[in-house]
Amino acid sequence: MTPSARAPNKDILIAVVLAIVVGGIGGAATNIGPWYYGLIKPSWQPPDWLFGPVWTTIYVLTAIAGVRAWRRANPTERRYFSGALALNIVLNILWSVIFFTLRRPELALLEVVPLWLSIALLALLVRRYSPLSAALLMPYLLWVAFAAYLNWTIVRLNGLI
């Protein structure tokens, strides 16, 4: 197989590895134990088992969006996209660390704002040259908006503000 025949799959491999690494680190930071179960949560919170499939779907859609955007971007757009994606990855992992590892839902509530904005930035950056990529990021944006509201409700119900 020639190098050019293998090259198109490199971006797919990178996207898959990134999704697995980010999901793995975030999952490892998500310690659902007595502390978490002791929090007062709203009745409308989804069941715990649903979070894994939702995040898996989001990571798959984000990986597809990233590959599509990368393939359509020029070198300058790729640099902007890479920087925005790196920021998003850090913020994504950081939220789990703050909420679950540090057990600070009130600080996670502050951090979720830049996380949401980083997703919006990704979508805006790729929209011009890959509208489908921007659309594939919408479930991520909506889920984090929902998670922010859930986070706010947990903070309020537990008197953390």
Side-chain angles (χ1 to χ4, degrees):
M1 185 176 286
T2 65
S4 62
R6 288 189 302 256
N9 293 325
K10 184 179 178 183
D11 49 8
I12 294 171
L13 179 62
I14 291 169
V16 168
V17 168
L18 270 175
I20 291 169
V21 168
V22 172
I25 294 171
T30 305
N31 181 12
I32 298 180
W35 170 82
Y36 176 75
Y37 287 119
L39 291 172
I40 301 167
K41 293 179 267 326
S43 61
W44 48 264
Q45 176 178 317
D48 293 341
W49 63 264
L50 186 62
F51 287 85
V54 167
W55 277 111
T56 300
T57 302
I58 286 168
Y59 289 140
V60 167
L61 292 175
T62 302
I64 293 167
V67 169
R68 289 183 53 80
W70 186 264
R71 289 181 175 176
R72 287 162 177 75
N74 66 42
T76 301
E77 292 165 336
R78 283 181 177 177
R79 280 192 298 277
Y80 289 137
F81 177 75
S82 296
L85 183 61
L87 174 65
N88 175 260
I89 287 169
V90 169
L91 293 171
N92 182 298
I93 292 169
L94 187 59
W95 186 90
S96 294
V97 169
I98 294 169
F99 191 100
F100 290 103
T101 304
L102 299 178
R103 299 177 179 176
R104 298 295 304 266
E106 74 284 6
L107 294 180
L109 183 59
L110 298 174
E111 193 276 349
V112 78
V113 174
L115 172 58
W116 188 90
L117 290 171
S118 76
I119 303 162
L121 175 63
L122 279 171
L124 288 172
L125 283 174
V126 303
R127 181 179 52 134
R128 185 175 58 77
Y129 56 89
S130 183
L132 180 56
S133 291
L136 290 171
L137 292 169
M138 291 303 104
Y140 185 14
L141 191 69
L142 293 171
W143 182 256
V144 170
F146 172 76
Y149 182 63
L150 177 59
N151 189 164
W152 177 80
T153 304
I154 290 171
V155 166
R156 190 177 47 80
L157 288 173
N158 289 276
L160 300 172
I161 52 172

